[in-house]
Amino acid sequence: MSERGLNTVSFAGHAASSAQFKALYAEGMGLVEETASYLDGPGRSASKVLPRMASVLYAAESMRLTTRLMQVASWLLLQRAVNNGEMSRDQVMSEKSKVRLDSFNVDRSAPGWNDLPDAFRDLIERSLRLQNRVALLDREIYRPQEASAFVPDNQNGVKAQIKLLQTAFGTN
């Protein structure tokens, strides 16, 4: 372990079982429900009147959005299981290997992007922010050596931890 690693306090493990995690879990599951409701209701209607390019993009992005949210929900459920003592860390590590948190980015310059419904684009943006927060928390908990690579050597360790917490929990 590096000298900096010995001096760094990891708050992520504690945060993952705290009230902040419960709020993150509720936000994630709420976004899953909100997205499903939108795609089955207003989104379905809105997609029928889109121009051809936007219609194709809507279909592709709705699949990416759904997949992204299912991956995030899977991670949140696994973390909740370990927090509640329902699964061991080793069991979670085995299952977690199936969860992808680092993909499904969006090309906002794609033809038809600006024609997509605002509510749909908002769901995409919120899901990306949530995915990034969960991915950061995942790196902090399960791959701390990887997470420390994101902190420049000349940066204050406390500031770096505070920045990681702000990113993980969406505060500024």
Side-chain angles (χ1 to χ4, degrees):
M1 192 170 219
S2 73
E3 188 175 311
R4 186 177 72 222
L6 290 173
N7 294 327
T8 302
V9 177
S10 176
F11 296 109
H14 299 291
S17 60
S18 68
Q20 287 96 347
F21 174 77
K22 290 177 182 159
L24 181 66
Y25 179 86
E27 178 186 346
M29 294 307 172
L31 188 56
V32 168
E33 288 180 30
E34 182 182 346
T35 299
S37 178
Y38 175 82
L39 293 175
D40 284 341
R44 186 179 306 250
S45 301
S47 70
K48 291 180 181 179
V49 297
L50 292 173
R52 179 163 166 66
M53 288 302 290
S55 180
V56 171
L57 184 61
Y58 182 92
E61 288 301 330
S62 63
M63 292 297 288
R64 287 187 192 103
L65 173 61
T66 303
T67 302
R68 181 182 313 114
L69 287 173
M70 289 300 99
Q71 295 297 308
V72 167
S74 294
W75 189 92
L76 290 168
L77 287 167
L78 286 170
Q79 189 59 46
R80 185 181 74 168
V82 80
N83 291 351
N84 293 339
E86 299 164 1
M87 293 177 78
S88 71
R89 184 178 168 96
D90 289 340
Q91 289 172 314
V92 168
M93 290 297 290
S94 174
E95 289 300 314
K96 206 179 75 52
S97 67
K98 302 170 190 167
V99 176
R100 301 281 313 205
L101 296 172
D102 56 356
S103 57
F104 312 114
N105 288 322
V106 173
D107 180 7
R108 292 169 188 85
S109 64
W113 175 259
N114 293 328
D115 294 325
L116 294 175
D118 290 339
F120 181 66
R121 287 186 297 173
D122 179 61
L123 289 169
I124 290 170
E125 295 300 333
R126 289 170 47 207
S127 73
L128 288 168
R129 285 192 302 270
L130 180 65
Q131 176 190 26
N132 288 334
R133 289 168 47 207
V134 168
L136 178 63
L137 194 55
D138 178 69
R139 282 190 300 271
E140 279 289 304
I141 295 169
Y142 298 103
R143 298 174 287 174
Q145 70 286 355
E146 210 175 287
S148 66
F150 293 101
V151 181
D153 286 333
N154 63 350
Q155 188 174 4
N156 178 308
V158 173
K159 278 186 181 177
Q161 289 292 320
I162 291 171
K163 181 69 175 161
L164 288 170
L165 287 170
Q166 289 172 335
T167 303
F169 298 113
T171 60
N172 290 324

